[in-house]
Amino acid sequence: MTAMLWAVAIGMTITAVWRLPALRHGDPMQRALWGCSAAFAATVWCRVPQVKQALDNSPVTDLSALLKYLTSLVAILAALRYITAVYGEPSEGSDRHIAVSRRISHVAHTCALTAVVVQLLLFFTVVDRSHPSTDFADAQAGHWGGALFLTIQYTYLGVAAATCGYQWARAARRAEQRALRIGLALMATAMAIYTIYPILRTAMTWVPPEVSAVTMRTVADSVNMVVACLWGVGAAVPSTMALSTRWNAWRALQKLHPLWSDLMAAFPDLALQRPGARIIESLRFAPSLGVRLDRRTQEIAGGIEQLRHHASPDLLSVAEDLAESHADPEAAAEAYWIRAAQQSQKSGRCSAIPSRKLREKPLTSVTAEANWLARVAALPVPPNLVRIMHERAGEPPVDPALQAAGRGQAADPNRAGSDRVKDPTGPTGRPARG
């Protein structure tokens, strides 16, 4: 049991430290979530035997119990604040359950100071603390001072837990993403336990059961550890999803780097930022990963659009015929077409009339487009296959200006810009995101 308490306390502390930046940069919801994590961690630390013993050996008898209940009260209020912050500012069209939650939170916060003052007065005046207790609630059972102290605490805990559990259960049923639904369900389960537990503890405080203090201590610690684990895991799901999204965006940027750098070297006017080496691009922190991924997909789409001036009219049909036997024929056909058009562009071949567009694809988000382009960029295209495509489809005529300059760029950037204005859709069939 001691090892479990240490593990939960350390885990909750790590969660609180992880969310510490929310104090400075976070919104009210994130700050409330940090407050709940930090207070919950402090509550669990007060239950660790070594910490409990050190606190109880101080001049204040049962100091661990007092700190445990006060920090748990802070965690309760922070949880209520989090619940109301989720729905933003109140409005006339708010649902009834939202209005009820706001009213409960407002009453709880308004009465919090009074409750703390009353608990402190009871603790230092009428609560029997003649001897350090193994389990404070069990030791106060049958004593009206301790029972009243605990009733105030458990009333706050039960009402707040019921409110949180109700809201999270409703949100879990409506959540579209599976991971978020699981996280909310875990948090709702934790609050359901914390709704039933205070009711039972309050009843046993006024009507003591014939159970030893050690048994009650074990039950109380077990309940709190289960709740802490369920709540911690559930609350970490949104952050885990955010980390997963950032990781996927970073991987997509890495996969797209070769194709993007080649196209931007050929058409530098399309790049908002000159491409660097892969290691340099990997270490960039600004702009954000999402912005960079969105910009990169647009720049790749613009580069592919310009390759239409360096592809013969029949090149796409030939590429599709050669890709029929491939395991991923659509992506292979696009990869073949791009590589052949790039080869023609490097050879100084250009046509004033662009070839037909690539096939439209139902890509509705940046992530979907990035995943598609990553599939295309990952496919190898042998040089002999490029030669076969040029033999079958032919190539645009040689542009003397491009060939003499020895660089693969569009001969007239103004013309390229006018082409993009006339044709605002990229090769994916999705309107370019300005």
Side-chain angles (χ1 to χ4, degrees):
M1 184 62 69
T2 301
M4 286 295 296
L5 281 171
W6 273 98
V8 173
I10 293 173
M12 293 301 297
T13 303
I14 292 174
T15 301
V17 173
W18 179 22
R19 297 185 179 278
L20 189 60
L23 284 180
R24 182 175 180 182
H25 305 290
D27 54 21
M29 182 177 68
Q30 295 300 324
R31 287 194 293 269
L33 197 56
W34 173 84
C36 193
S37 300
F40 211 159
T43 302
V44 178
W45 275 115
C46 291
R47 291 180 174 275
V48 174
Q50 291 80 355
V51 177
K52 182 180 184 300
Q53 184 178 3
L55 292 173
D56 289 343
N57 287 335
S58 67
V60 180
T61 306
D62 283 339
L63 178 60
S64 64
L66 177 63
L67 294 179
K68 176 183 68 177
Y69 288 122
L70 291 182
T71 53
S72 64
L73 184 61
V74 173
I76 294 166
L77 295 173
L80 284 174
R81 179 80 68 180
Y82 173 76
I83 279 293
T84 55
V86 166
Y87 297 101
E89 295 298 325
S91 61
E92 295 181 358
S94 298
D95 293 339
R96 179 181 177 85
H97 67 93
I98 298 176
V100 171
S101 297
R102 290 188 183 281
R103 194 173 299 115
I104 292 173
S105 177
H106 177 73
V107 172
H109 281 82
T110 302
C111 300
L113 181 59
T114 302
V116 170
V117 171
V118 171
Q119 284 187 294
L120 288 173
L121 290 175
L122 291 173
F123 185 84
F124 287 104
T125 56
V126 298
V127 171
D128 182 10
R129 295 185 296 113
S130 55
H131 299 91
S133 60
T134 302
D135 181 80
F136 182 81
D138 181 71
Q140 298 303 319
H143 300 281
W144 73 268
L148 182 57
F149 175 93
L150 293 170
T151 299
I152 295 173
Q153 182 71 29
Y154 289 141
T155 299
Y156 257 91
L157 178 59
V159 171
T163 304
C164 294
Y166 173 64
Q167 296 291 5
W168 287 334
R170 286 178 59 91
R173 289 195 300 269
R174 298 194 304 269
E176 296 181 358
Q177 296 181 347
R178 183 179 180 183
L180 183 57
R181 187 163 57 249
I182 292 174
L184 289 169
L186 289 174
M187 294 171 72
T189 302
M191 293 302 101
I193 296 173
Y194 251 13
T195 301
I196 300 173
Y197 175 75
I199 297 174
L200 297 177
R201 286 294 269 179
T202 302
M204 288 186 292
T205 300
W206 291 99
V207 182
E210 295 182 0
V211 181
S212 67
V214 175
T215 301
M216 293 303 299
R217 177 77 276 156
T218 302
V219 172
D221 288 342
S222 300
V223 170
N224 281 277
M225 282 192 296
V226 170
V227 171
C229 290
L230 289 174
W231 189 89
V233 173
V237 167
S239 299
T240 304
M241 292 171 62
L243 289 175
S244 176
T245 300
R246 294 185 62 185
W247 169 250
N248 291 332
W250 186 86
R251 289 186 60 195
L253 286 171
Q254 297 303 303
K255 292 177 181 179
L256 294 179
H257 183 269
L259 176 61
W260 171 70
S261 58
D262 286 347
L263 290 174
M264 294 307 101
F267 309 108
D269 291 341
L270 297 177
L272 294 178
Q273 188 174 18
R274 185 174 181 179
R278 176 174 288 189
I279 184 64
I280 296 176
E281 294 292 336
S282 301
L283 297 176
R284 290 190 191 276
F285 293 98
S288 65
L289 286 170
V291 172
R292 275 185 284 160
L293 185 61
D294 182 48
R295 179 188 298 175
R296 188 162 297 186
T297 56
Q298 291 190 58
E299 291 174 346
I300 291 175
I304 294 175
E305 180 68 18
Q306 293 310 301
L307 286 179
R308 292 173 57 199
H309 289 278
H310 305 275
S312 64
D314 296 331
L315 182 61
L316 181 58
S317 299
V318 172
E320 290 175 340
D321 291 340
L322 293 174
E324 284 183 353
S325 59
H326 196 277
D328 192 358
E330 293 183 357
E334 190 161 316
Y336 296 168
W337 183 92
I338 291 173
R339 187 58 56 86
Q342 283 181 310
Q343 185 61 44
S344 297
Q345 182 265 336
K346 292 177 182 178
S347 302
R349 295 179 176 274
C350 182
S351 174
I353 301 176
S355 62
R356 67 189 180 94
K357 293 182 180 182
L358 298 177
R359 303 290 183 184
E360 293 186 357
K361 291 164 282 295
L363 305 178
T364 58
S365 66
V366 175
T367 302
E369 185 173 355
N371 290 337
W372 167 257
L373 291 173
R375 284 168 56 189
V376 172
L379 293 175
V381 184
N384 64 320
L385 188 59
V386 174
R387 185 173 61 254
I388 293 173
M389 285 191 286
H390 285 160
E391 291 175 354
R392 295 184 182 181
E395 291 187 83
V398 173
D399 188 318
L402 287 179
Q403 197 171 47
R407 56 190 175 87
Q409 302 178 29
D412 187 355
N414 292 329
R415 181 193 65 194
S418 64
D419 289 339
R420 290 196 299 276
V421 172
K422 293 176 183 177
D423 187 8
T425 57
T428 60
R430 180 172 56 84
R433 304 176 305 277

